[in-house]
Every structure is written in C-alpha cells, then in structure tokens.
Amino acid sequence: MPQDAHHDSFEPVSKHRPSWIIGADIGTTYSSLAAIELPVDQDREVVDHSKILMVNNWPGDISPGLSPQVPTLVWYGSQQHRDREPSKDQFDDHELGELSGLIDDEYETSSFMSAEEELSEEDGDIPDTQGSAKFLWGFSVKNHLFSKREGRDLKKLISRSKLMLVPNEYTKDNRHSLRSNIDYLIEKGLIRKFGAQSDPDLRDVRDPISDFLAAFLSHGRSWLKDKSTFQDTDHVEFAFAVPSIWSAEASRVWQASIETAIQASGFGIAALQHGTIQDLFLTTEPEAAADYLLLTKNFALASSFALLVVDCGGGTVDVAAFYCSSRYPLRLEGEVVPPIGDNCGASYVNVNHDKLLLNRLRPQRRHLEAVNEQPLEGIIADLAQEFEDRVKRNVDFNRKGTVLQRLKIFGLQGDQETGVENRFDHNHMLMERQDYEIIFQPLFDRIGNLIQRQIIAALSVGVSVQNILLVGGFGASPSLRTWLKEFLKSLAKELHLPFEFALTVPTPHDCLIAVAGGAITRALDKRNGPERILLSSYGFLERIPGKEGVMDETDGKKYITIINYFAIKASYSTRNYEFDPIKLTHTFLANEEKFICEELLFVSDTIAESGYDLRHGKNNETERAFLARKRKDPGAVRRKCQLHGRLIVDMTFARDHPLCVVIGAENKKPNQRHPYYEVEYHLVPIVKNRNLRYEVRHQYLELEETGEYKVAKGGCGYASLAAAFQPGTA
C-alpha cells in the first residue's frame, strides 16, 4: 500500500493532551451519555473503569439534576429549526438517470438555530394558539406535556423515533403513528424527505434523530467542559450502542445522524473528516450492558457459557440469548437463536395507569371537571407526572399490605358521600394491590412470555441458558424485579431443568447507565469481537461503452452507466486494505473552462453484482419483483442501492500536461461535434479500520511523463464503514 494511505484517521492533536471515549445509549424513551478520559501514553485496556463519568444536570430536569437520563423527545415549533445541508445520499427517482445531478437539488430547507442557542433560550409563554416558535427537546418536552399550557401542535412532536429503524411486527403500530407525524413535518418543510418524494423511506427519520442528538451532544460538551479537563481540540472517539436486531441500513441512518449532530453541536468535531465520522464504534445494547456490569460490578457467570439478556426499555423489551466466547473480557460471540421483542416497555405502564384512572374516575367526570375547571384527561395527566417520578420506580405491589398509595384529587367525593363503594375518600383515591396488578401484570406476563420462548428456543438447539441479566430502565422497577425472581423459579420447575436460573439484578442506578457505560468498556477493549465480514456491498458509478447506451455528444460514443462493486457483502475485509485501482475516463469539450469530475459511491445490502445499470433489478428491485422472490426465499432482502458518498475533484490543471491532448482538432470522429479532451485517472478505495477513503490518483505530474500516480489536490472522499460490519467489530 502506498505510504499516502497510512495516515492516521484523525487530524493531528496535541500529544500532551488526553483523548476521550464518549459512550451513548439512545433509548426509545430515555437516553444517556458517558465519557472517560484516556491519559497520555496509557494503555487503554488498563484504564480504570471507575473513572467513567455519567452526564447529568440535563436542561429542564426538575429533579435535583442528578438524573443520568434525558427523555428522547423533540418537538418542533411553528418556525423552522435549522438550515438543512443537502445530503450526500438524498435524491429522487427521476434523477437516477441524470449523471450530472443524482443529488437532490429540491431538498427542504429551514432556518438554523445552533444547539447552544436552543439550550440557552429561556422558556417563554406560548405566543399564540398556532404554537410556539421554539424547538423543544428532552425534559422541556416532558415538562410542557405535563403543564396546562396550550398552543403547541402535537403533530410536530416526535417520540420513540428509534422504532422507525426497527421495521418488524411488534413496532408496527408505533411506526404507523410516527410516520404520520414525520410526513406532516416534511409537508411543513421542517425536515427533509429522502428518496422518492412519493414513497416512505427509512432515512426520513434522520432529521428528528440528528436534531435530538445535536442538543444531546451539545449539553454533553458543556457538561464535560465544566466537570473535567476536556477541551474541544481533544481527540474524541464515539461509541454508540444499537439494538441487536438492527439492519445495516438502520445503522447507516444512525451514523449519518451522528455526523450531522457532531457538526451542529461542535462536540468531538475533530472526529469528522470532511463531514464523515472516523472510527465510529458500534456495539449492541445487550453486549454493552453485560460488558459494563460484569467488568465493573464483579458479577460472575454461572458454569453455563450462554447468557440471556433481558433488556427492558421504555418502549420495547428485547430478549436475546448469546454464546459467551470468553469470560474476561466478556464477549458475546453470537446469538444462540434469533432475538425477539415486544412493545411492553415502561412507557406502557403509564398507558395502563392512565386507562385505569380514567375508568375509576369516570362516574365523577362531570363533577370533577366542573370543580377543577379542566377535562378529566388533564387531571389524570397531572397525576401521571407523580406516578412517573414517585411511584413507578419505587412501589413494589408484590409486598404485603392493602393500601399502597392515596392519590390526592381535589373535589373527589368519598364513598360515604356517594353511598357507592369505589375505594374513594374525600379528595383521595385509594390505590391498592389490585390496581397495580392491572397496571403492571399484563406487561410482566408479556415479558415472561418472551423469556420463556427464548429459553425454549435455545433448548431446541441444544443450549441450556442458565445466566440471565436484567438491564434497561424498566429493569429498575422493584415490582418487576420481585416478580421476575418468582417467575424464573416457576419456569425452571415447569421445564424440568436440572438447575435454577442465575439472575443478575443490578442496582436501579446501574440499570440506567449500563448501556452507555458498556459502550465505553467495549470501545476500550475491542479484542475478540466479530470477524470483519461485510454486511453490505460498495461500488462506484461508472460509464462503459455499450451499443444500447446513450450518446455522449462530446466524443460521439455510446455509454451505459453501471455500478462497479469493489467490496462485496459476506466477504472478509482486513483492517488495512487497498483495493485495485479503478480506471476512469472523463471527457470535456476543448473550450470548457473547468474540468470538474464527479464520482458517486453506492451501497447495497445484498451480494451485489457489477455491470448493471442503476435502475436494473439487480440494483433497485421493484416491490412486485421483491415479493415474488421473497415467496421462494423468505429470508430474501430487497435489492436496493443507495447513494452513500460523493467526490468532486477539479482536474482543470491536466489540460496543460503532454498526456492530455485535444482529440479531433483536425479529423473529427463520426458523430463527434467538437474537439475534446480525455482526462484519465485511477480511483482507489482504501479501508482503514472502520473507515473508507477513496483517492483520485493521476499521472499529470509537473510537465513530464513519469508513470507515477499521485493523489489529486482535493481528490479524497471519505465514508464511515461502522455500519458495514456487525456491531462490536474492531
């Protein structure tokens, strides 16, 4: 490999400054951010894990500010939020045939407000009934929802955006609701539309995700500056935990959102190379949580070398059984059976709570609404805040006793006043064990069903899973913990297992921070990760001569436009590799002022074949053709090729070199209209770790023919390959 291909991934930083790893857990309902300082010249594998910092003091947090989590919410205002740069992978169907304009020039734009301005802007009154102009995120959204202020458009509220990237049956209802709000925001010009204007695209959720991440990282940057020695020029490596069931396409949407957020927030800006994040590390949420807890809390595995991770989050509960390739460092080698999940996370406890209160208070609806001068739903919303903060995370309804809580409701008539037994006292509603069973138990039963199904599936392939690890915010629920212990005892007996399950139950605080902390511990030591097997194919758009092609009016020849894949899905990729050069030729009229060359990088999540037109079914399959193929092969993936990168290089200087001569100045070829130049060069893709660099190398050196190829000025393009490998890959 040429010496030119070996430079470090990051821009040079001071050797006398520490570097940092930033770990993030972007949950369905709550998110957390962690950081650790890597001292100069210290081996990262021996860094003290107890030094991991958890970001807190989130803006708008009405608690003492010690919460390690912030709600994953954004709420767009009546005014546009941010200037949207044209995306390198954004174009419409009608542009596929236009080689000079594959990038969408009709993208939606909006006004820009920096993350720092968003965070510093004071919370004001809603100016009119059309909604506030202010963009809200995190706790400010939650606080507004629980306040009595009116005027904001609920269609501009985006919650559970992460579920758009999990296109399976159990997220269907959430995705349908979320899609309606996303389409509304696109229609209002507040976020961009990706792909064909008429078709939903997975990437349409990118702007809401990146807008949340920009504010999220901006606070993390400010917090870290205040609490540590961090400086903006320090080397930063980002490690994000993602669901184990995510596709490569979902991970690409994620990494593109991260790049946008880094640019907008300024946090870890040195990690960007021409807008592309370098050495992004992705790991799975279950592995991150397990790694953190077993490394930092001295938990130990039982004799079985398999682990069941029960990730109880705010929206979904995911259950996955893993082989453990080693105990130290812990590595989850692979899934024993496919993971499963359900929409039975902590947020649905709130839904059940509100339904129960509505049913119990309905007989006094008119009276309560008259006394309180607000709808019954508003009264319940006020009680929901108290339930979320004080009850859900603290009450264990399994404990002995009758009355667990007395809810104060102004104007509520007691049983003695009405003569009807409703378990009401004057101005108070009694909440007993039977009430909490209605709220919690249906969700517990669904969690138990997931665990049982996964354990039985593992047994069916000869694997006994004895170790069970409970993680996620919902895992902090004392009611869930007590119930799960009893459930597992009963399950072991029911399945006639020769052992009892070894349940690891972290502290409630560790449940909240384990995934973000584990993203850091995995990034510190990437040994024994998955093999570097590509999950996607990568190729460049190329013109080749063809009788069925389109006439080029410059040289009078016919060309067809195909994709030439240099890296193929399912193949092995070394950490440092230079692919064979791709010889390319561009033609320019002799009187053209500039010789501007454009190279387009495409990605496909299938085992792609070179030599086919971009519109061909091998690259972009119609839905009808895909469904027909899927009937024969249920595991088939739709052939869909997406633009992933773009490089524009000015080769005007080649005009003055002896190798670049005018063609047809004296004797024109058939169909040729005017004299023209041919500019030839090599396009060379280079893999380094989880990064791709592609270089334009030419022979137009000085004014002599040397046979040597040199990288053109501005002739380097960059793309992250983090999504191209299984999460956890070094």
Side-chain angles (χ1 to χ4, degrees), residues 265-490:
S265 68
F267 189 24
I269 197 72
L272 294 183
Q273 189 88 283
H274 297 277
T276 297
I277 190 169
Q278 299 294 292
D279 284 337
L280 171 65
F281 182 70
L282 301 179
T283 185
T284 65
E285 291 163 350
E287 184 174 32
D291 195 67
Y292 177 80
L293 293 170
L294 284 124
L295 286 178
T296 64
K297 303 302 175 182
N298 297 319
F299 292 132
L301 295 179
S303 57
S304 169
F305 268 78
L307 176 67
L308 186 75
V309 180
V310 182
D311 185 1
C312 297
T316 63
V317 173
D318 298 292
V319 179
F322 295 92
Y323 294 106
C324 299
S325 61
S326 64
R327 291 191 186 184
Y328 192 88
L330 175 74
R331 289 294 176 267
L332 304 186
E333 189 174 64
E335 299 160 356
V336 177
V337 289
I340 55 178
D342 190 7
N343 269 7
C344 52
S347 61
Y348 297 99
V349 174
N350 299 59
V351 173
N352 290 349
H353 168 268
D354 293 354
K355 286 181 180 178
L356 181 135
L357 264 59
L358 186 62
N359 288 333
R360 287 192 60 187
L361 295 173
R362 185 174 283 116
Q364 296 193 32
R365 173 189 281 271
R366 289 187 178 180
H367 170 70
L368 290 172
E369 290 181 343
V371 171
N372 289 274
E373 298 182 344
Q374 67 169 317
L376 180 57
E377 288 76 11
I379 298 171
I380 292 173
D382 293 339
L383 297 170
Q385 179 72 57
E386 181 180 356
F387 174 76
E388 171 71 24
D389 295 336
R390 300 182 181 180
V391 179
K392 186 171 75 172
R393 303 178 185 183
N394 299 296
V395 170
D396 183 355
F397 71 79
N398 301 285
R399 70 183 184 182
K400 294 181 180 180
T402 305
V403 178
L404 299 181
Q405 188 187 16
R406 290 168 57 87
L407 289 182
K408 186 173 183 179
I409 305 173
F410 180 71
L412 185 66
Q413 296 174 323
D415 292 350
Q416 292 182 348
E417 298 172 76
T418 62
V420 180
E421 186 177 347
N422 285 317
R423 291 181 284 131
F424 294 162
D425 284 342
H426 182 66
N427 287 340
H428 289 86
M429 181 170 73
L430 308 183
M431 293 290 288
E432 301 175 348
R433 180 171 181 171
Q434 60 184 318
D435 297 303
Y436 287 108
E437 285 180 344
I438 293 172
I439 293 171
F440 284 91
Q441 195 60 51
L443 301 174
F444 290 176
D445 290 341
R446 289 163 68 179
I447 294 171
N449 177 262
L450 293 173
I451 294 172
Q452 182 169 344
R453 286 167 52 197
Q454 193 74 344
I455 288 173
I456 291 175
L459 288 171
S460 70
V461 295
V463 177
S464 296
V465 181
Q466 185 177 358
N467 306 286
I468 298 180
L469 178 63
L470 178 65
V471 297
F474 196 13
S477 165
S479 294
L480 175 59
R481 290 160 171 255
T482 301
W483 174 84
L484 185 56
K485 291 175 184 177
E486 295 303 316
F487 170 79
L488 291 174
K489 288 180 182 179
S490 299

Side-chain angles (χ1 to χ4, degrees), residues 159-329:
S159 63
R160 302 176 184 174
S161 55
K162 185 178 176 181
L163 296 184
M164 283 298 291
L165 303 178
V166 188
N168 54 28
E169 189 61 32
Y170 74 88
T171 63
K172 184 177 180 180
D173 291 342
N174 285 107
R175 287 185 288 110
H176 178 76
S177 174
L178 187 55
R179 168 54 66 180
S180 176
N181 285 21
I182 287 174
D183 289 344
Y184 182 74
L185 291 172
I186 291 171
E187 178 187 342
K188 295 297 181 181
L190 297 174
I191 63 175
R192 293 172 294 182
K193 177 73 183 77
F194 289 80
Q197 291 291 332
S198 57
D199 296 333
D201 193 291
L202 196 68
R203 295 168 293 176
D204 291 342
V205 77
R206 262 181 47 179
D207 285 344
I209 291 174
S210 62
D211 288 340
F212 170 80
L213 286 175
F216 177 76
L217 292 179
S218 182
H219 173 72
R221 173 192 180 197
S222 300
W223 185 92
L224 204 57
K225 282 183 173 181
D226 184 53
K227 303 293 183 181
S228 72
T229 62
F230 174 77
Q231 296 180 8
D232 284 333
T233 54
D234 289 347
H235 174 182
V236 172
E237 176 185 345
F238 285 96
F240 276 71
V242 299
S244 56
I245 58 175
W246 261 12
S247 65
E249 183 181 9
S251 291
R252 283 198 302 275
V253 173
W254 203 245
Q255 75 181 26
S257 299
I258 294 169
E259 290 169 346
T260 302
I262 292 172
Q263 190 74 49
S265 68
F267 189 24
I269 197 72
L272 294 183
Q273 189 88 283
H274 297 277
T276 297
I277 190 169
Q278 299 294 292
D279 284 337
L280 171 65
F281 182 70
L282 301 179
T283 185
T284 65
E285 291 163 350
E287 184 174 32
D291 195 67
Y292 177 80
L293 293 170
L294 284 124
L295 286 178
T296 64
K297 303 302 175 182
N298 297 319
F299 292 132
L301 295 179
S303 57
S304 169
F305 268 78
L307 176 67
L308 186 75
V309 180
V310 182
D311 185 1
C312 297
T316 63
V317 173
D318 298 292
V319 179
F322 295 92
Y323 294 106
C324 299
S325 61
S326 64
R327 291 191 186 184
Y328 192 88

